[in-house]
Structures are given as C-alpha cells and as structure tokens.
Amino acid sequence: MTQRERFLAMAVGGLFVVIAFQWGFNRYRDAIKFRDNRLAGLQNEANTLNEKLLAGAYADRQMGEYMVRSLPSNPERAQSTYQSWLLGTVREAGLRDAGVDPVSDAPVGDLYYRYGFRVSGKTSLDGLVGLLHDFYARDYLHRIRELNFGPSRTGDLNVEMTIDAISLNNAAIDAKIPERDSWRVAKSLDETRQAILNRNFFQPPNQPPVYAGDATLVAVKGEQTDVRLKVDDPEGTDVTYELEGELPEWASFKADSGTFTFDPPADPEDGEESGDASAAPDKEPLQVVVRMTDTGYPRRQIEKTLVVKLENPPPPKEPDPLPPKFDDATQTYLTALVQGRDDWTAWMNVRTRGETLKLQVGDSFEIGSMKGSVKSVSARLVLLEIGGKEYELRPSGKLSEAVALESPEQPKETDAAAEDGSEESGETPAADEDGESDSEEVVMEAGEAPSPQPVDEAAAKDESETAEETATEAPASSSEQTETPSEEPTPQSQLD
C-alpha cells in the first residue's frame, strides 16, 4: 500500500469515527430531552392535581359557609322563614304601604332551591339606604335581582325590588337564621349614609370653613368686652357655632352669632374670694373649644381651641386741653416801634386786657394762642419767632395775622440803617391801631447824633428819665385812641 493509499484510508477511517461520534451524541441528547419533557409533563400533571385538590378544598369550605348561610332545606319552611324576616326588615326601615309577596320558587338541579320575592312600598332616600344596608348586612344566601325606584307625587320614592334567596338541598331542615352581620358590609349605617347621601354631583367638593381670627381673645378686667369670631367659608355659606365645655360666670357665648362676651371683675382678689380661679392674673389662661360647621352640602366642620387672656385696663387718657374761650392774639395790635438809646422797643396793645407790652429783642411773650419771643425790632417791622418759625409783624397789624416767612432771614433793614434814618428825620414812622397818620414820638433828643465819645452820667440820667416820660405818654395816647369810637370792633363786640 502506497503512502497515498495509507493517507486516504486514514481519512476515511477518521470520517467514520466522526460520524459515529455524532450519531452517539445525538442519541444521548434526544434521550436527555425526552427525559426533561417527561419530567415537566409529570410536574404539570402534579400541579393540576394539586390545584384540583385545592379547588375541592375551597369548594368544600365554601359549601360549608353556604350551608351556614342557607335557608332550611324544607321549601315551605324556607319560604315562610325568609318572608317573615324580609317583612320585618322592610318595616324597620320605614317603608310605608310595604308589601312582601312570593313570586316564584323552583329547584336548580339537585344542588339548591331558589325562591323569588317582590317588595314594594314608599320611603325616602334615607330610608332606602337604610333598607339596602340592612339587607346586605344579614348573612343569607340572597341577592337583589332588580331594583326600581322613582319620585312620587307626595315627595317620597316609590320602591320596587325583586329578591332571590336559595336553600341548599344538603342544608339542615331546621337551619337557624344567621344572627351575625355579614363581613361584606364593612361600614356602619351612619357611615354608609354619610358616604351616599352627603354627596353633591353638580358642584366641587364642599370645603370646610377657615378660622381667620386670633387664637388669643383678650378680656379687660372691669370692662365688658364683646369679641366676635372671624370665620371665612370658601363657598360663602353660613356658619353655625357650638361651644364645648362650660365658661366661667363672667363669660358668655352666643351660638347664633359666634360672639363671646367677657366681663371679668376689676379686682383679681374678688375673683379669688368667689372661687373663680380664672380671674386671677397668676393663673393659666382660660381655654375654650369652639366647633364651627358650615351649611354647605355636605356639611363640613372644624374645631378651634382658643385662649382667653385677662389684661388690666389701660391707664385713663389725659383729657385734651380745652380751647381758649377767646384768643387774645386776635385783639393784639402792634401800635408803635420806639427807639431808645440802646435798642428798639415794640409796643403791643392787648385790647382785651387793657395793657400794652413793651418788648425788646430776646423778650418772650405769651398772648392767647401765640407764644414766642422777639427776634429783632427795626423801624419798619418786628420779627417774631413762634413755634420754631419766624413771623413778620408791621405797625397796626394784628398779632394773629403775622406773616410767616419761608426761610428764617433777617429783615433787610438793620438797626444801623434805622438809626441813620432816625437821625435825618428825628422821628420814627408809626401808625395807630386805626391806620391813621398819627405817629408816636421817638424817645431821643432831636438833632442829637449818636457819638462814640463818652457822655456825662448826669446828662445820661436826665435823658433816660425824659425817654421814660415820653414812653409813658405814648401808651396813654394809644389807650385813649382805643377808647374812642372807631371802625375797629371792640373786644366786647368781637365776643358777641
């Protein structure tokens, strides 16, 4: 055998070995797959059998429950027992003109017997909800097959319903009526009515009222205080109030308006002697609980705890000063501006008093409602400072009509200029209260010019006495002019 033939024989042999290995592997894989499928099938069969066992156990348990809830297996007894219970339930629910009549009864296979009843009558929506609650609360094997109700002419509801009840063939002949309520009804009758009746299908849900007042109410000792609660309702409906607990003797509450009235004793010791501990200032504040309910649909309610705090009355307010019966400033005139050796003097005649005030720079005065000081005096006017402001008053002018200056400036005329003018003329221009051309004499010697040189003391004394005599004559002349009849109103006529 040649070398080529040997290689060919080896190749053919290797090919047969591969084919044999592939065939053996496929047989092994098929056997594993068949075994897995068989195990899965057996597992499914076992699960199916377990489910059937569980379903049988559940059915047996369910049948046990049905046996407890079933009517007696005797058809006549079952029908009579259920009809009696149904009639009593209908009457307890307030159904008027109630009727409970059997309509049909028929066996269903060999498992149970079915009985039909028709209930009719008149009641309100509240009564219908109570009837349905009592029906489903009783743990019978029954159901409402059909329910019809509608409004009547009297405003009630005409109710008609068809009910089915069954009795198992294997149930006891003398089966007792179940006394316990069904677990299917989780809520009480009041909760059921609240959930069904208090519902508005045409508007958003009603929101509860909101208390917008202070949480602390203040009661002043010795004074009667009325405090009205401030409550806002989002829908704008009326709010009713209810107080929980009792109030002390000095407090009361009006439920119709939500108003507290407090009248604590003025002296805290009185409250302690009478046994009213809440009136003492060292005791804890009084707490009250108020329930607020709106009139929306359905009604919403909130509770608010308020604190009543006792406070002492405020100190009495000082009475305001009475206005003067008559203001002397309205009858005070600047009658003259008199120049002396040292300074100018303003003569103000207070007619209501019958006196003349001689004021110089720096002097203070208080005439009626005007209180101030003299800031400057010149030959033409006097500058007054009243209430922090400057006022200008000219001869024959009223003090009450003094002109207020916008800015505190000195008058243009200075004392030096006034002296120069007086030297040239020898007299000071002035007017009386009647506005006439008569003028007061200036207290200085005519033709005498001021000189810085020293003067004789005796001569100065004589000049001072002469100035005083002249000044005395001037007010006398002014007062005489005041007494004479004139167009100016007198103080008495001004008062009238």
Side-chain angles (χ1 to χ4, degrees):
M1 181 179 293
T2 63
Q3 185 71 18
R4 183 178 179 181
E5 292 176 349
R6 286 197 299 270
F7 286 154
L8 183 59
M10 291 174 61
V12 173
L15 181 59
F16 277 108
V17 171
V18 172
I19 294 173
F21 178 78
Q22 182 68 25
W23 178 80
F25 178 76
N26 290 337
R27 289 293 301 272
Y28 175 75
R29 186 179 59 183
D30 293 340
I32 295 297
K33 187 176 181 180
F34 175 77
R35 187 189 66 177
D36 292 340
N37 292 337
R38 182 60 179 169
L39 291 175
L42 294 176
Q43 185 65 35
N44 290 335
E45 292 179 2
N47 292 338
T48 302
L49 293 176
N50 289 333
E51 289 178 359
K52 291 181 179 181
L53 291 175
L54 292 176
Y58 178 77
D60 184 60
R61 177 186 175 184
Q62 194 72 18
M63 286 300 297
E65 181 184 351
Y66 290 159
M67 293 290 290
V68 175
R69 299 170 55 196
S70 174
L71 295 173
S73 58
N74 188 316
E76 295 180 357
R77 184 167 185 172
Q79 187 177 26
S80 175
T81 301
Y82 188 79
Q83 185 177 3
S84 300
W85 171 84
L86 187 58
L87 183 59
T89 302
V90 167
R91 290 177 177 175
E92 289 179 1
L95 205 67
R96 297 181 299 276
D97 301 333
V100 178
D101 303 317
V103 294
S104 64
D105 56 274
V108 179
D110 57 353
L111 185 59
Y112 61 89
Y113 210 90
R114 184 177 62 191
Y115 308 93
F117 299 89
R118 178 179 289 111
V119 178
S120 60
K122 297 180 180 180
T123 185
S124 61
L125 183 59
D126 192 3
L128 179 58
V129 173
L131 175 61
L132 295 178
H133 181 274
D134 294 341
F135 179 85
Y136 286 109
R138 184 51 59 95
D139 204 15
Y140 272 131
L141 290 176
H142 58 177
R143 68 174 183 177
I144 297 178
R145 188 201 316 168
E146 185 178 359
L147 173 62
N148 297 316
F149 62 92
S152 64
R153 294 182 179 179
T154 59
D156 296 330
L157 297 177
N158 292 326
V159 180
E160 291 185 0
M161 65 175 65
T162 303
I163 299 173
D164 290 336
I166 63 174
S167 63
L168 299 177
N169 294 338
N170 296 331
I173 298 177
D174 55 351
K176 297 181 180 180
I177 300 175
E179 298 295 337
R180 61 183 179 86
D181 293 338
S182 175
W183 57 269
R184 296 170 182 81
V185 179
K187 295 183 179 180
S188 63
L189 178 58
D190 293 337
E191 293 175 342
T192 303
R193 285 175 174 169
Q194 181 74 14
I196 296 176
L197 299 179
N198 291 338
R199 183 180 302 174
N200 192 344
F201 297 98
F202 306 102
Q203 292 182 355
N206 182 33
Q207 301 296 324
V210 179
Y211 180 72
D214 296 332
T216 302
L217 309 181
V218 177
V220 181
K221 300 176 182 177
E223 297 181 4
Q224 181 173 337
T225 307
D226 294 333
V227 180
R228 184 167 183 174
L229 301 181
K230 185 178 180 181
V231 181
D232 297 333
D233 186 70
E235 290 77 20
T237 59
D238 296 335
V239 178
T240 59
Y241 305 88
E242 182 181 359
L243 180 66
E244 181 178 344
E246 297 182 355
L247 294 175
E249 295 180 356
W250 49 266
S252 61
F253 180 71
K254 297 180 181 178
D256 54 348
S257 61
T259 303
F260 282 97
T261 300
F262 304 116
D263 192 9
D267 188 1
E269 296 179 358
D270 296 342
E272 294 176 358
E273 294 175 357
S274 61
D276 189 0
S278 60
D282 56 346
K283 299 296 182 180
E284 295 183 358
L286 176 66
Q287 292 187 352
V288 293
V289 179
V290 181
R291 283 191 292 268
M292 292 157 276
T293 308
D294 63 8
T295 55
Y297 187 80
R299 295 176 180 266
R300 301 296 297 274
Q301 183 183 90
I302 61 171
E303 287 189 359
K304 185 66 178 179
T305 302
L306 305 176
V307 177
V308 180
K309 182 180 179 182
L310 294 177
E311 290 187 356
N312 294 322
K317 184 179 179 182
E318 296 182 359
D320 297 333
L322 296 177
K325 296 181 179 180
F326 185 82
D327 192 358
D328 293 342
T330 60
Q331 295 297 321
T332 300
Y333 292 83
L334 179 62
T335 57
L337 296 172
V338 181
Q339 183 182 21
R341 177 175 296 276
D342 298 330
D343 202 351
W344 286 82
T345 303
W347 289 12
M348 291 190 182
N349 183 15
V350 185
R351 293 182 176 182
T352 55
R353 302 179 188 173
E355 62 177 344
T356 300
L357 302 180
K358 302 175 181 180
L359 304 176
Q360 293 184 347
V361 176
D363 292 346
S364 300
F365 63 89
E366 182 176 0
I367 304 175
S369 61
M370 310 291 283
K371 181 179 181 181
S373 61
V374 179
K375 192 170 183 181
S376 67
V377 182
S378 65
R380 296 184 180 181
L381 55 87
V382 58
L383 192 63
L384 307 175
E385 183 177 0
I386 302 174
K389 296 183 180 180
E390 293 185 356
Y391 293 84
E392 179 183 283
L393 184 62
R394 294 181 179 272
S396 301
K398 288 184 181 180
L399 178 61
S400 60
E401 297 177 357
V403 180
L405 300 180
E406 296 182 356
S407 59
E409 298 179 355
Q410 292 290 343
K412 296 180 181 180
E413 296 82 356
T414 61
D415 294 343
E419 291 179 359
D420 294 341
S422 62
E423 289 177 359
E424 294 177 359
S425 61
E427 58 183 9
T428 302
D432 59 4
E433 62 273 15
D434 296 331
E436 299 178 355
S437 60
D438 296 341
S439 60
E440 297 289 342
E441 296 182 358
V442 180
V443 184
M444 62 180 297
E445 293 182 3
E448 183 180 356
S451 173
Q453 296 180 359
V455 296
D456 189 8
E457 294 181 357
K461 184 177 181 181
D462 295 337
E463 291 176 358
S464 175
E465 292 177 353
T466 304
E468 290 179 357
E469 292 176 358
T470 306
T472 304
E473 293 176 358
S477 175
S478 175
S479 61
E480 291 175 0
Q481 294 177 2
T482 304
E483 294 176 357
T484 59
S486 63
E487 296 179 359
E488 289 289 333
T490 63
Q492 184 63 31
S493 63
Q494 181 70 16
L495 288 174
D496 295 338

